[in-house]
Amino acid sequence: MALLVLIVLGATLGWLASILARTEAPGAILRQVMLGMIASVVAGEIANDGTMIGSLSFLSLGVALAACAAVLVLYHAIASRRRVKA
């Protein structure tokens, strides 16, 4: 159940990031959703002491949320930098 919560959290944050950044290319939206999912699952796993079988603590949920947001902000900073140089 904890893994499912982290996947949904990451996908939702990736989708919201694509809305805020006004990304309209389908590949870019999917990339942001996947980045959000991967970041939240990895950070949640690390913060939950490597066990996803049991329940999800509020600490690991917060860490997953923060890591997902940080990865998406970093992605947008790099992507916008590439567009400016090109």
Side-chain angles (χ1 to χ4, degrees):
M1 187 69 176
L3 183 62
L4 183 64
V5 169
L6 290 174
I7 289 173
V8 169
L9 175 75
T12 304
L13 286 178
W15 175 68
L16 288 174
S18 69
I19 290 173
L20 290 175
R22 296 186 179 163
T23 305
E24 296 180 8
I29 294 171
L30 185 61
R31 191 175 310 119
Q32 292 172 19
V33 169
M34 292 303 293
L35 275 173
M37 286 172 37
I38 291 169
S40 69
V41 168
V42 168
E45 176 101 13
I46 292 170
N48 210 24
D49 295 329
T51 60
M52 296 311 282
I53 306 284
S55 64
L56 187 67
S57 67
F58 283 118
L59 175 67
S60 61
L61 190 62
V63 168
L65 182 71
C68 183
V71 165
L72 289 169
V73 166
L74 185 64
Y75 169 75
H76 283 286
I78 292 171
S80 68
R81 184 177 236 176
R82 281 190 208 160
R83 272 188 259 135
V84 170
K85 285 185 179 180

